[in-house]
Amino acid sequence: MAKIVVDVMLKPEIRDPQGEAIAGACHRLGFAEVRAVRQGKRFEVEVADADVADADALAIRMTELSAELLANPVIEEFTIHGA
Amino acid sequence: MAKIVVDVMLKPEIRDPQGEAIAGACHRLGFAEVRAVRQGKRFEVEVADADVADADALAIRMTELSAELLANPVIEEFTIHGA
């Protein structure tokens, strides 16, 4: 069983009001050193090794999955890595 | 400016209905090799270097921030690492 991690973040040019609200809360709680916060999503995907030919095939399938289901490529970007 | 990443995931013993729904969608879309999905949050925190004494002090502050604001320690666990 392989565990793949997909990190999904808003593209840098897209505003992130949720992250901005968290940065504001940091300051109110006394964490003045925090300059900015961006919030994204992290998916841990368990894949059955037996169903995938090799590491290259797995990378291609996970990229398809991320672009179709986990991320919205219009406003988000994703990175795939091992756990 | 240091960029710190905080990954927040539900504890393994806590059910994740959102992740289960995504796993179901994977199967309906033809990604039969996916066995399970867990969804969590990823925070990218930019910190002003000048406001932090050293790497140890930064790690302590980021741990406080994560436990107080970014994660709910009752049901979630977090890991902190560099970008």
Side-chain angles (χ1 to χ4, degrees):
Chain A
M1 196 76 79
K3 191 194 267 185
I4 307 297
V5 175
V6 181
D7 289 323
V8 178
M9 300 297 295
L10 285 169
K11 290 183 180 176
E13 66 270 26
I14 306 286
R15 263 194 66 198
D16 177 9
Q18 199 169 7
E20 290 167 17
I22 293 167
C26 289
H27 297 160
R28 287 193 299 280
L29 284 172
F31 294 94
E33 69 269 41
V34 172
R35 285 289 173 275
V37 178
R38 307 273 293 173
Q39 177 169 358
K41 287 171 279 188
R42 173 186 163 96
F43 298 93
E44 294 182 354
V45 182
E46 280 185 26
V47 179
D49 291 322
D51 294 356
V52 182
D54 56 27
D56 286 348
L58 179 60
I60 291 169
R61 289 289 281 172
M62 288 300 103
T63 302
E64 288 176 4
L65 174 65
S66 300
E68 280 182 42
L69 187 65
L70 302 182
N72 175 355
V74 177
I75 57 167
E76 293 172 327
E77 58 191 14
F78 59 86
T79 55
I80 299 171
H81 50 98
Chain B
M1 197 76 79
K3 191 193 268 184
I4 307 298
V5 175
V6 181
D7 290 323
V8 178
M9 301 296 296
L10 284 169
K11 291 182 180 175
E13 65 269 27
I14 306 286
R15 262 194 66 198
D16 177 10
Q18 198 169 7
E20 291 167 16
I22 294 168
C26 289
H27 297 160
R28 287 193 298 279
L29 284 171
F31 294 95
E33 69 270 40
V34 172
R35 285 288 173 277
V37 178
R38 307 273 294 174
Q39 178 170 357
K41 287 170 280 187
R42 173 187 164 94
F43 299 93
E44 294 182 354
V45 183
E46 279 184 28
V47 179
D49 292 321
D51 294 356
V52 181
D54 56 27
D56 286 348
L58 179 60
I60 291 169
R61 288 290 281 172
M62 289 300 103
T63 301
E64 287 175 5
L65 175 65
S66 301
E68 278 182 42
L69 187 65
L70 302 182
N72 175 355
V74 177
I75 58 167
E76 293 172 327
E77 58 192 13
F78 59 86
T79 55
I80 299 171
H81 49 98

